[in-house]
């Protein structure tokens, strides 16, 4: 099989007082060297899907296969080296860094994972430079960093493990516009050079358009539109995708508030349009 | 960069914390050296009986003509090291059990937590009586009885912290990189458990001292003629007019317990996340 | 919308142009006495009721540290100079206890990182109502109704059911909205919003921006909006300050910043917009 990652008919549910179906029969694939973006409403199941891909969430139905073998659940046992090439950048940069360990050492753990798998070693400083941080930051603790700096350290740590599949959940949301572009670009280049796959989750269509080959738009747990990024950006078909693009505030300095959709989302956002899927 | 754990920022140095630390350290120092410098043998009965405090017997003598000052100081070397040992044992055992229960979860957790519930349900003094009845009353057996009931609080606390940490993203990140369970516990979990456990332990030293003296007072711990604070107070009951027999051991217990509590309280302030950068301020 | 400060009466005019919160010559250094790192180097800002003051700038330029200083939530090794005045009260140098009264009730903050302002082991309902019950003296029932209304305003789906859930049972964006609800719970007069919409998709973001605008217009809330998203800035900020390396390099009303940027860094910032091409047409 040529695909690096294959997600087929994945269903994820949370059973509490009520049953929440966070991901509802989603299928997607990522090829080596490909960047796939996942965008969608807040709470539509993007992070749930991401966690299932790395094995942190148990699928209710469906399967996640990585290089032909099913991704095992991340239990208390040590993860097999075969799967340490799947790495994740978590949505919440604050809790993704250990508060009591210096930044440099945390990146070293990533490097060690790469070395144990037989990849070449590297220095933490290199990775800090790549994500645009001064190398003195190796000796800082997470709480001594700004929000955007933390997020970049988390990216550096994941990249240091030289992943073949990187799942990045809103990795650059806390960065300013110019760092966003450069960090996103760097992630894309690294993925392409190493032949790795990148699942890039974001709610920001403008950034997604710059770095993703293909884009998947999710709404309430289902894929509503997917295909080549430029097509989706320039000519959205599904009503939800259209709403998503039109609600981006225009930085024109005129003080125009984008119209807020009504609290009860329009029914048409939920519909399935076959022509909106797999657009090429 | 600066060494965060070696340096104590000024804001942490609270008056009560400093007073507590000084008194606690003094008592521990006395406990380990008293036998070398006390003026009289704490067991010899050569002095006049029931002598009020004076120049040569600073705190008077008891009904058997033993110097109370000497007994008090050597008493420290009976109670304090045992209390410290008790706390240390409970800490090690409790933390380990709690960490394992919290980290491995499922049936391991269920089993270990039911066990702690069971043990916690025992009233300490009654358990000590049972142990004393079974093994004979002695200070060492009192320590065993106290240990049996005191490790579960460490287990409980560690477990709840570990449960909270287990789902933290950085723990997940470590596991994705192929950390072994042991490495996760050592690198990602242990450093975050240390603070709260130290607080609990320092507060617990006071409790342990109270408990051991209490048991001795009841005759379940130290046996005569050993100089022990609790049994000294219990002896004072028979000589009610000689106030000095009971007062000084009472004061000794009071100061040690308070000192360790002060230390524990200021440690709590240090480790409490809300006393640091604390985004938790949003909640207040 | 920028002429919102045109009031009907002279009284209201005075009220709406007098700043509630004034920052003057604020300097912040963090570190040990020997190795103090200067992070904020003398900035001045004023927050006026009914106006939204934007604060943009490079990552790591000191935006969060500045807002934390207004709440007195900096780490204990921070040295703050200059003045921060809330009305006539000087906040720099206040004790924690005095600040506690002001925090949450008069000045509220939405933290950059929402999950750390939520307590992981308390339900969302408890966190929202505790606050309200204490500060606004509401009964449990009123507080619950108030909480549901707040959650509805920030567009958390099924508010009544959400009250019984724990923070980790929500998505990142939902947690951010809950944190916003908590900040608004006690009707503050100043709101510090540190990247309040980073985790939100644009449709939900639009809802939150409308909410902030309405609060400023109707309740005369003074808002400090920290964001790196110039689209957001353009949509609701009345005035904008641009920060870099701990200094404010440019500060002006919104239209001037966008149409007529003076400082090179501001221009650079505008040029780096992903939609920069579109923007240039619009501003011509
Ligand atoms: N542990 C849980 N228990 C119950 N419901 C949950 C749990 N985790 C997530 N959910 C719900 O599942 C849905 C999907 O959550 P998810 O975190 O995947 O959203 P998301 O797309 O990442 O959103 P965001 O952009 O806001 O991060 C949400 O409605 C959320 O409330
Ligand atoms: N406790 C600390 N000790 C040392 N340096 C710190 C500490 N907290 C913050 N800093 C440094 O201060 C600078 C400003 O941090 P701040 O969090 O205010 O940035 P910011 O403007 O909010 O950036 P971002 O947009 O990335 O959140 C950063 O360079 C950061 O590394
Ligand atoms: Mg998410
Ligand atoms: Mg910040």
């Amino acid at each position: 099989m040529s695909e690096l990652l294959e997600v087929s008919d994945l269903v994820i549910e949370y059973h509490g007082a009520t049953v929440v179906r966070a991901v509802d029969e989603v299928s997607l694939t990522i090829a080596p060297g490909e960047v796939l973006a996942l965008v969608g409403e807040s709470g539509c199941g993007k992070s749930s899907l991401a966690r299932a891909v790395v094995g942190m969430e148990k699928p209710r139905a469906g399967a996640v296969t990585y290089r032909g073998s099913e991704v095992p659940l991340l239990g208390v046992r040590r993860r097999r080296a075969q799967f340490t090439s799947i790495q994740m950048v978590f949505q919440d940069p604050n809790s993704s860094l250990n508060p009591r360990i210096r930044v440099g050492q945390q990146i070293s753990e990533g490097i060690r994972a790469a070395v144990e798998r037989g990849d070449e070693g590297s220095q933490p400083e290199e990775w800090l430079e790549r994500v645009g941080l001064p190398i003195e930051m190796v000796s800082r603790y997470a709480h001594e960093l700004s929000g955007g700096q933390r997020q970049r350290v988390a990216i550096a740590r994941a990249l240091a493990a030289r992943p073949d599949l990187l799942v990045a959940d809103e990795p650059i949301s806390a960065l300013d516009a110019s760092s966003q572009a450069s960090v996103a670009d760097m992630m894309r280049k690294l993925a392409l050079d190493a032949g790795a796959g990148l699942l890039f989750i974001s709610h920001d269509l403008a950034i997604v358009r710059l770095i993703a080959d293909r884009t998947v738009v999710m709404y309430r747990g289902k894929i509503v539109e997917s295909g080549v990024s430029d097509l989706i950006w320039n000519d959205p078909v599904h009503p939800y995708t259209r709403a998503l693009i039109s609600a981006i505030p225009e930085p024109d300095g005129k003080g125009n508030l984008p119209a807020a959709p009504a609290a009860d989302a329009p029914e048409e956002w939920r519909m399935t349009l076959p022509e909106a899927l797999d657009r090429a | 960069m600066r060494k965060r754990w070696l340096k104590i920022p000024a804001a942490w140095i609270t008056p009560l914390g400093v007073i507590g630390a000084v008194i606690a350290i003094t008592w521990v120092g006395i406990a380990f050296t008293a036998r070398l410098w006390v003026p009289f043998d704490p067991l010899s009965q050569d002095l006049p009986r029931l002598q009020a405090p004076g120049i040569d017997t600073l705190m008077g003598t008891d009904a058997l003509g033993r110097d109370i000052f000497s007994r008090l100081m050597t008493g420290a070397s009976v109670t304090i090291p045992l209390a410290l040992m008790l706390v240390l044992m409970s800490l090690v055992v409790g933390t380990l059990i709690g960490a394992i229960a919290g980290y491995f979860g499922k049936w391991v957790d269920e089993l270990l937590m039911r066990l702690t519930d069971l043990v916690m349900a025992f009233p300490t003094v009654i358990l000590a009586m049972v142990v004393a009845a079974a093994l004979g009353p002695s200070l060492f057996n009192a320590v065993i009885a106290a240990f049996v009931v005191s490790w579960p609080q460490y287990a409980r606390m560690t477990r709840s912290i570990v449960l909270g940490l287990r789902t933290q993203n950085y723990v997940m990140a470590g596991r994705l990189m192929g950390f072994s369970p042991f490495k996760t516990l050592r690198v990602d979990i242990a450093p975050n458990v240390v603070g709260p456990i130290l607080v609990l332990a320092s507060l617990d030293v006071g409790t342990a001292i109270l408990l051991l003296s209490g048991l001795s007072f009841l005759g379940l711990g130290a046996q005569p003629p050993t100089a022990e604070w609790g049994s000294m107070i219990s002896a004072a009951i028979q000589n009610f007019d000689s106030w000095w027999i009971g007062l000084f051991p009472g004061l000794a217990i009071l100061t040690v317990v308070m000192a360790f509590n002060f230390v524990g309280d200021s440690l709590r302030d240090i480790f409490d996340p809300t006393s640091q950068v604390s985004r938790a301020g949003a909640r207040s | 919308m920028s002429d919102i400060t045109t009031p009907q009466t002279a009284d209201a005019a005075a009220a709406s142009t007098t700043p509630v919160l004034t920052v003057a010559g604020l300097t912040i250094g963090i570190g040990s006495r020997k190795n103090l790192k200067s992070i904020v180097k003398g900035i001045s800002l004023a927050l006026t009721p009914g106006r939204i003051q934007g604060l943009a700038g490079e990552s790591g330029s000191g935006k969060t540290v500045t807002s934390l200083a207004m709440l007195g939530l900096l780490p204990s090794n921070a040295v703050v100079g200059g003045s921060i005045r809330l009305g006539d009260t000087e906040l720099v140098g206040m004790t924690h206890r005095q600040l506690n009264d002001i925090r949450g009730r008069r000045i509220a903050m939405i933290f950059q990182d929402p999950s750390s302002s939520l307590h992981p082991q308390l339900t969302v309902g408890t966190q929202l109502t505790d606050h309200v019950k204490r500060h606004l003296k509401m009964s449990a029932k009123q507080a619950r109704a108030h909480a549901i209304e707040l959650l509805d305003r920030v567009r958390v789906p099924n508010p009544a059911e959400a009250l019984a859930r724990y923070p980790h049972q929500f998505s990142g964006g939902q947690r951010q909205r809950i944190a916003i609800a908590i900040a608004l719970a006690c009707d503050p007069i100043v709101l510090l919003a540190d990247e309040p919409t980073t985790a939100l998709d644009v449709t939900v973001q639009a809802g939150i921006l409308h909410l902030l605008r309405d609060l400023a217009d109707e309740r005369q809330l003074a808002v400090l909006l920290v964001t790196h998203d110039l689209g957001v800035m353009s949509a609701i900020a009345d005035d904008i300050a641009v920060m870099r390396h701990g200094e404010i390099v440019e500060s002006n009303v919104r239209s001037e910043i966008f149409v007529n940027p003076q400082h090179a860094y501001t221009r650079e910032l505008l040029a780096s917009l992903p939609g920069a091409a579109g923007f240039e047409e619009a501003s011509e």
Side-chain angles (χ1 to χ4, degrees), chain B residues 79-140:
Chain B
T79 314
I80 294 178
L82 278 179
L84 291 177
M85 189 180 88
L86 169 61
V87 168
L88 194 71
M89 277 180 0
S90 323
L91 186 152
V92 171
V93 172
T95 311
L96 213 65
I97 290 183
I100 291 172
Y103 186 68
F104 290 93
K106 306 220 178 91
W107 65 268
V108 182
D109 183 29
E110 197 64 26
L111 184 82
L112 291 175
M113 282 303 115
R114 290 298 80 77
L115 182 71
T116 53
D117 285 348
L118 190 78
V119 173
M120 272 186 121
F122 276 121
T124 317
V125 176
I126 302 213
L127 187 79
M129 286 171 142
V130 173
V131 172
L135 306 176
S138 83
L139 204 49
F140 185 74

Side-chain angles (χ1 to χ4, degrees), chain A residues 19-100:
Chain A
V19 176
V20 180
R21 189 171 263 232
V23 177
D24 192 3
E25 300 195 345
V26 166
S27 302
L28 50 83
T29 59
I30 298 180
E34 185 184 34
V35 180
L36 178 73
L38 186 59
V39 300
E41 193 193 30
S42 167
C44 71
K46 304 182 294 293
S47 301
S48 304
L49 177 77
R51 286 199 297 267
V53 166
V54 301
M56 278 166 59
E57 210 79 66
K58 193 178 162 70
R60 183 95 192 143
V64 179
T65 40
Y66 172 69
R67 293 197 165 125
S69 44
E70 192 150 337
V71 177
L73 210 58
L74 193 64
V76 287
R77 292 234 203 111
R78 187 190 189 117
R79 182 153 257 212
R80 270 178 286 153
Q82 176 190 3
F83 292 106
T84 60
S85 55
I86 306 179
Q87 288 296 324
M88 176 155 176
V89 178
F90 294 88
Q91 179 168 16
D92 176 7
N94 195 47
S95 77
S96 74
L97 298 178
N98 188 330
R100 310 238 187 244

Side-chain angles (χ1 to χ4, degrees), chain A residues 42 92 94 140 173 176 203, chain C residues 37 59 113 115 177 198 201:
Chain A
S42 167
D92 176 7
N94 195 47
R140 293 262 190 110
S173 59
D176 55 90
H203 54 259
Chain C
K37 194 158 57 96
S59 170
D113 165 51
S115 44
R177 281 172 271 168
T198 38
D201 66 278

Side-chain angles (χ1 to χ4, degrees), chain A residues 137 140 143-149 174, chain C residues 30 37 39 58-66 75 77 112 194-195:
Chain A
M137 287 205 175
R140 293 262 190 110
H143 69 94
E144 297 171 338
L145 301 178
S146 81
Q149 289 163 347
Chain C
I30 300 186
K37 194 158 57 96
I39 289 175
E58 210 174 21
S59 170
S61 57
K63 307 182 293 291
T64 300
V65 168
T66 302
N77 58 345
Q112 178 166 20
D194 194 358
E195 310 271 10

